């Protein structure tokens, strides 16, 4: 695993740096987490989605068969007021993934909610934005079967 993420990034940053940060390593699998900051920065969902399509094209231009997982923008207590925008973007990305070969959607949204549809605060640091170890453990537990299925 080679972590190439950096704080505060948005899809257009990924598009700018994707060759140097990701594609030059010729990965067997690419996992993308973007969209969260895009929405918080008030970038319209149409632009965010278009930037996602650009990144996907860049990946496919380099290697048409590399599996790609797009992780849904997660719910955060500090950004809960933006939940409808997050849900809309996630829905669009999921729908796109369903039409593309070797392209997968990981629903980080649903797994982060409790039975009442609330976000358990124990998954986050005090800022209620960044996940702590227990938040990442939930992701890992749920993402691992998909990664194993793709790479087997």
């Amino acid at each position: 695993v080679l972590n190439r993420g950096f704080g505060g990034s948005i899809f257009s940053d990924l598009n700018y740096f994707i060759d140097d940060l990701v594609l030059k390593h010729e990965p067997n699998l690419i996992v993308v987490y973007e969209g969260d900051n895009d929405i918080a920065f008030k970038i319209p969902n149409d632009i965010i989605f278009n930037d996602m399509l650009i990144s996907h094209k860049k990946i496919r231009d380099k290697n048409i068969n590399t599996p790609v997982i797009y992780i849904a923008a997660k719910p955060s207590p500090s950004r809960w007021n933006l939940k409808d925008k997050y849900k809309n973007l996630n829905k669009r990305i999921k729908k796109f993934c369903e039409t593309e070969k070797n392209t997968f959607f990981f629903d980080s949204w649903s797994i982060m909610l409790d039975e009442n549809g609330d976000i358990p605060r124990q998954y986050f640091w005090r800022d209620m934005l960044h996940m702590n170890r227990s938040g990442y453990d939930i992701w890992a537990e749920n993402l691992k079967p998909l990664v194993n299925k793709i790479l087997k």
Side-chain angles (χ1 to χ4, degrees):
V1 174
L2 182 59
N3 182 351
R4 304 307 288 163
F6 54 95
S9 71
I10 59 176
F11 263 113
S12 63
D13 294 328
L14 173 62
N15 293 340
Y16 184 81
F17 291 110
I18 197 166
D19 289 319
D20 289 334
L21 289 180
V22 180
L23 299 177
K24 77 175 186 180
H25 299 289
E26 299 180 6
N28 294 326
L29 170 67
I30 298 171
V31 180
V32 176
Y33 182 73
E34 293 289 3
D36 195 341
N37 290 325
D38 303 68
I39 289 172
F41 296 159
K42 299 182 180 173
I43 299 170
N45 275 6
D46 287 343
I47 292 173
I48 300 168
F49 186 71
N50 188 61
D51 284 341
M52 188 276 305
L53 294 176
I54 291 168
S55 68
H56 193 75
K57 183 178 182 329
K58 287 176 178 263
I59 292 167
R60 290 293 172 246
D61 286 349
K62 178 76 174 179
N63 187 330
I64 197 160
N65 294 315
T66 301
V68 181
I69 299 173
Y70 289 98
I71 297 178
K74 71 177 177 2
S76 301
S78 68
R79 294 181 175 169
W80 194 240
N81 62 311
L82 301 170
K83 70 180 175 183
D84 291 337
K85 292 182 185 299
Y86 281 86
K87 289 166 84 174
N88 176 272
L89 179 65
N90 290 340
K91 182 179 177 181
R92 291 177 77 179
I93 294 173
K94 180 182 182 195
K95 187 175 180 179
F96 172 80
C97 291
E98 291 169 350
T99 67
E100 294 294 311
K101 182 181 176 192
N102 288 326
T103 306
F104 305 88
F105 180 79
F106 176 68
D107 182 8
S108 65
W109 185 274
S110 297
I111 65 169
M112 299 286 295
L113 302 178
D114 65 19
E115 62 278 352
N116 298 318
D118 296 322
I119 309 166
R121 294 179 174 269
Q122 77 256 20
Y123 296 153
F124 295 88
W125 294 106
R126 277 190 229 162
D127 66 1
M128 292 294 131
L129 172 62
H130 296 96
M131 291 191 308
N132 60 27
R133 176 59 159 225
S134 62
Y136 282 110
D137 286 347
I138 293 295
W139 277 27
E141 175 185 329
N142 287 276
L143 186 57
K144 187 176 181 178
L146 177 58
V147 170
N148 288 340
K149 177 183 164 187
I150 293 168
L151 294 180
K152 74 173 183 170

